[in-house]
Amino acid sequence: FLDCSIMTEDTPPPAAASAPATTPATTTSPATPKPKKKAKPPPPPPPPAINTAQLLLRGAMCSLVGTPITTTCSALQKTYFKDAPLLTGKFGLELGKGTGSACQLEITDDEASVESLLRALETGVNRLIEQRLPVATYEYETYAEAMSCCSGSLETLKKPPKEEVTVCYISGIIAAIPTGPVLANTGMLKSITLVRKDCKIVGNKKAKNCKLDVKFVVEVSDEAEVSAVTGGELDENGEECDSPVKIAVEEVLLTNEIRLTEGKLLLELQQTKQAAEEAVAAAAAASTATAEKVADDAASDEMVVDPFTVSGIIDYNKLVENFGSKKIPSDLLSRLETIAKSNGVTTLHRFLRRNVFFSHRDLDKICTCVENKQPIYLYTGRGPSSGAMHLGHLVPFLMTQWLQRALNCPLVIQMTDDEKFLFKGVYQDGVGDNLDYFRSLTIENAKDIIACGFDFDKTFLFSDVDYVGRMYPTIVRIWKSVTQNQVTNIFGFDGQANIGKVAFPAIQAAPSFPTAFPVVLNAKDRSNRMACLIPCAIDQDPYFRMTRDVAHKLVDKHHPLGGKPALIHSKFFPPLQGAKGKMSSSDGNSAVFLTDSPELIAKKIREHAFSGGRDTKAEQLAMGANLDVDVSYQWLRFFMEDDEELDRIGREYGSGTGEFWSTGLVKARLIQLLQDLVMEHQKRRALVTNDVVQLWMKERCLV
């Protein structure tokens, strides 16, 4: 396929045709050139779903951290080509220097802050998807024309495009040049999920470049269609004319104001933390180091337990005495076990075997009701304060799931989105409040709760904001029965508390009475005598002490418990840093979340789990570990089902002998256990869609 008679430098020119050759011509054939390698085909352009997701994420990121939408954005990496069939993309924002000189929110790259920021971004962008915001698309002849018609709200490009320019605009969110065609509205996306391991945040005092890089996966709804392009202004007949469209981009989008509700919450947390740090610094300057240490030790060890604060070294014997409850005796556990076996549940839950649920009010009377075939129901709840629940949140739900099977009874689960808004909500002029944010957390938390394995036919899950109308007659009766002085004495409210806080205890009390559920429990009036059992952490007991004091006013005089709800109390699940107080969602390094990866679980346990082991190997071998303060062992008591294995670990670790003689070996066993537990939970949760949640929250009769 090549002409091999190519002349070379050593080949004389051919003689004329009429002249005889004087010497024989010698010809040499050159080597055949190697065929050129075929160039790899370029990746296909990103589909509209990815372009739309990037556009929405970019606007959400700017709104979350408080930076203008003109902030420099890196080009979309075409990860969708490698990750097919997943629809993925990756890009980032440049946020100045240090901890974000170009934005209002402080950007720090410690593990807890990164997770909080990514979680807030994911929650916020999916909330924008649910709002089904229109995505308008406009075409301009030049970049300069586009910039002029958008009032300078586009990113300044070093190499502006020379051809026609398309601009996309989502009102209140973003105006930008997209990578390609986009969808007609945000609701045509199902969801956007951030790939945590491929997201990167750089932010610290020494950082030359503060960056926020995210990789995302987008799911598309079945109704997706591409946004129509508008080329010019519409005339009075509704037809396009030659004048380019001018986009009225909101001025706030060009400022450093935080515009996303989730960003405002993060800013509030940062400011609270900063204020606390400044207060500590001021206290340190006013006292000697010795006096500080004494004061700090005394303050940290002092037990405080109420519905809003749990801190210090918890003395459960003292709590039982102060609250007036009773410890659960062995004969009552035996009765409960007998009832469970009659319903096909062969063993007591490990929380009962190990005294994790340790205190009660009228649990014996509940057993009597079940033994006498009198109807009962369970009531528990969750205050949705974060998008991801942690292991401590699982404890009451795992116990409740066992009780539902053991007692063979219906269950109602209250989601107190109203309470979280009343106590933690924010309002900003011109923007509004964040009630809808807490309502969205209700849906996310409900997915984790459903994944615990409750019986759908016997479970009703409800949001206070949505369901409160049904409970209102019961709530009104509680309000009528409780004085403001009683509420103030129990909960410590002062004159600065909003009226919603003062009124809320009645809303948490209402599900204790079957009349709050005229359809679900078929309780049309006060003649219904169903008894209620509430599994909860002991810090929630004050709500129900108040309830029990007035319960007789809301029920029939023949109610088996006089209307009083029965309770079974759990101990607190300790934070990683030590067995004081309880685990908190606000401190990412104190908790293992149900969204954590196996690698992150291992890192948190290895680096943050407080050890009761000794300082040296020799001391550990001689004395063993202090199991009472060792967090890894305490967590095994909560989540390891096998009693024999737990006893062996306790003996060996506590004596410094055998296979589990050291802290590292005990932590390794805990890591394996938690990785398996969280992974199985994540698999179950993945099956719970928003539509499934709505089925569980649909009012229907359970009895």
Side-chain angles (χ1 to χ4, degrees), residues 364-408:
D364 52 334
K365 294 182 180 179
I366 290 292
C367 289
T368 300
C369 287
V370 177
E371 291 162 349
N372 293 336
K373 309 299 182 184
Q374 292 176 295
I376 69 163
Y377 70 100
L378 293 167
Y379 157 40
T380 192
R382 159 83 180 133
S385 58
S386 64
M389 289 169 58
H390 58 58
L391 290 176
H393 294 140
L394 276 186
V395 172
F397 292 110
L398 294 178
M399 185 73 251
T400 304
Q401 190 267 352
W402 183 89
L403 286 168
Q404 185 182 52
R405 292 187 298 117
L407 302 177
N408 190 27

Side-chain angles (χ1 to χ4, degrees), residues 289-304 311-314 318 580:
T290 303
E292 284 176 20
K293 186 176 185 305
V294 172
D296 289 346
D297 288 347
S300 64
D301 290 345
E302 182 180 357
M303 180 177 69
V304 177
S311 62
I313 299 175
I314 308 301
K318 188 174 181 180
K580 296 181 181 179

Side-chain angles (χ1 to χ4, degrees), residues 111 115 119 388-394 573-577 583-585 587-606 608-609 631 635 639 670-671 673-679 682:
E111 189 173 281
E115 177 57 24
R119 192 185 310 143
M389 289 169 58
H390 58 58
L391 290 176
H393 294 140
L394 276 186
F573 189 62
L576 281 167
Q577 285 82 353
M583 184 175 286
S584 170
S585 296
D587 184 353
N589 289 328
S590 81
V592 169
F593 289 90
L594 299 178
T595 54
D596 284 350
S597 65
E599 296 78 14
L600 185 54
I601 291 172
K603 183 178 181 182
K604 285 183 176 181
I605 299 300
R606 291 194 188 104
H608 300 294
V631 168
W635 282 26
F639 292 113
L670 175 63
I671 288 169
L673 179 73
L674 295 184
Q675 287 175 335
D676 292 343
L677 183 151
V678 172
M679 182 171 61
Q682 290 173 352

Side-chain angles (χ1 to χ4, degrees), residues 239-254:
E239 297 180 352
E240 291 186 6
C241 55
D242 293 335
S243 302
V245 176
K246 294 186 180 296
I247 304 175
V249 179
E250 295 86 348
E251 291 184 6
V252 70
L253 298 184
L254 304 179

Side-chain angles (χ1 to χ4, degrees), residues 515-588:
T515 51
F517 305 98
V519 173
V520 174
L521 298 180
N522 195 27
K524 305 300 183 184
D525 54 44
R526 60 190 289 140
S527 64
N528 187 291
R529 300 172 187 172
M530 289 185 78
C532 176
L533 173 62
I534 305 172
C536 62
I538 196 167
D539 60 330
Q540 297 300 299
D541 186 76
Y543 282 107
F544 303 109
R545 292 205 303 273
M546 178 201 77
T547 308
R548 286 167 60 89
D549 286 344
V550 300
H552 62 283
K553 298 182 179 181
L554 282 83
V555 299
D556 182 274
K557 65 180 180 179
H558 299 296
H559 189 283
L561 276 70
K564 296 180 179 181
L567 292 99
I568 180 168
H569 301 127
S570 75
K571 295 178 179 177
F572 302 116
F573 189 62
L576 281 167
Q577 285 82 353
K580 296 181 181 179
K582 67 176 182 178
M583 184 175 286
S584 170
S585 296
S586 61
D587 184 353

Side-chain angles (χ1 to χ4, degrees), residues 196-228:
R196 298 294 203 276
K197 65 184 181 65
D198 293 326
C199 296
K200 184 179 181 181
I201 294 178
V202 178
N204 56 72
K205 293 181 179 180
K206 297 182 180 180
K208 294 182 179 179
N209 296 298
C210 182
K211 298 180 180 179
L212 173 53
D213 294 331
V214 296
K215 182 177 180 181
F216 62 91
V217 180
V218 60
E219 291 185 56
V220 193
S221 69
D222 296 332
E223 63 178 291
E225 64 180 72
V226 175
S227 174

Side-chain angles (χ1 to χ4, degrees), residues 137 149 160 185 404 471 518 625 629:
T137 307
C149 289
N185 71 67
Q404 185 182 52
M471 298 192 295
V629 300

